[in-house]
Amino acid sequence: MMKAFVTVKLKNGVLDPQGKAIAHTLNDIGFPEVLAANQGKVIELDLKEGTPESKIKEMCDKLLANPVIESYQIEVKSA
Amino acid sequence: MMKAFVTVKLKNGVLDPQGKAIAHTLNDIGFPEVLAANQGKVIELDLKEGTPESKIKEMCDKLLANPVIESYQIEVKSA
């Protein structure tokens, strides 16, 4: 088995209300050192050994990320 | 400015319906090599230079993660 970690983030310039809410709330509860926050998601995939990265890229384009507003990074680890 | 990346995951043993849905759907749309999937979130924080990691840990415990069902990892990068 191998593992792949897909990190999906909003592209620069896309409004991130959830990130803004996190930054605001952290400021409010006593963390003035927070200047900004952005929230993304990370998907951990357990894959059959030997799955090529091109297949994972295809999964991202078809399901895991919305290419219009999101960018993604793939990190593969053999387990 | 410095950046911190907080990755929040469900603890082992906690049901992850969203991860299950991702794995199922990937299987259905033609990716039989996917054995399982887990979804977590990643929060990118822009912080004032010199913020100690203990402060970031405090943010996680107070707002970013639910310590009952979630675990988190902190990665700090100076920009």
Side-chain angles (χ1 to χ4, degrees):
Chain A
M1 196 190 75
M2 57 185 274
K3 272 187 184 286
F5 294 86
V6 176
T7 307
V8 181
K9 282 182 195 174
L10 288 171
K11 286 183 182 169
N12 283 339
V14 178
L15 271 183
D16 179 7
Q18 204 167 4
K20 275 210 158 51
I22 290 171
H24 257 113
T25 308
L26 284 170
N27 288 159
D28 285 352
I29 65 173
F31 299 102
E33 53 275 83
V34 177
L35 305 173
N38 290 288
Q39 183 168 341
K41 56 187 175 178
V42 54
I43 297 141
E44 188 183 328
L45 296 169
D46 294 354
L47 300 165
K48 278 188 193 134
E49 199 62 52
T51 304
E53 193 162 326
S54 59
K55 268 278 183 220
I56 306 170
K57 214 174 157 309
E58 218 183 296
M59 295 178 201
C60 292
D61 291 327
K62 285 196 177 161
L63 182 76
L64 302 177
N66 174 352
V68 178
I69 55 166
E70 292 172 329
S71 64
Y72 58 84
Q73 272 186 316
I74 297 169
E75 197 189 335
V76 176
K77 277 183 200 167
S78 269
Chain B
M1 195 189 76
M2 56 185 274
K3 273 188 183 286
F5 294 85
V6 175
T7 308
V8 180
K9 283 182 196 174
L10 288 171
K11 286 182 183 169
N12 282 340
V14 178
L15 270 185
D16 179 6
Q18 206 167 3
K20 276 210 158 52
I22 290 172
H24 257 113
T25 308
L26 284 171
N27 289 159
D28 285 351
I29 64 173
F31 299 102
E33 54 274 84
V34 177
L35 306 173
N38 289 288
Q39 182 167 342
K41 57 187 174 176
V42 54
I43 298 141
E44 187 184 328
L45 295 168
D46 295 353
L47 299 165
K48 279 190 193 135
E49 199 63 53
T51 304
E53 194 162 324
S54 58
K55 268 280 183 216
I56 305 169
K57 215 175 157 311
E58 220 182 294
M59 294 175 202
C60 291
D61 291 328
K62 285 195 178 162
L63 182 74
L64 303 178
N66 174 353
V68 177
I69 54 166
E70 292 173 327
S71 64
Y72 59 83
Q73 272 187 315
I74 297 168
E75 197 190 334
V76 176
K77 275 183 202 169
S78 269

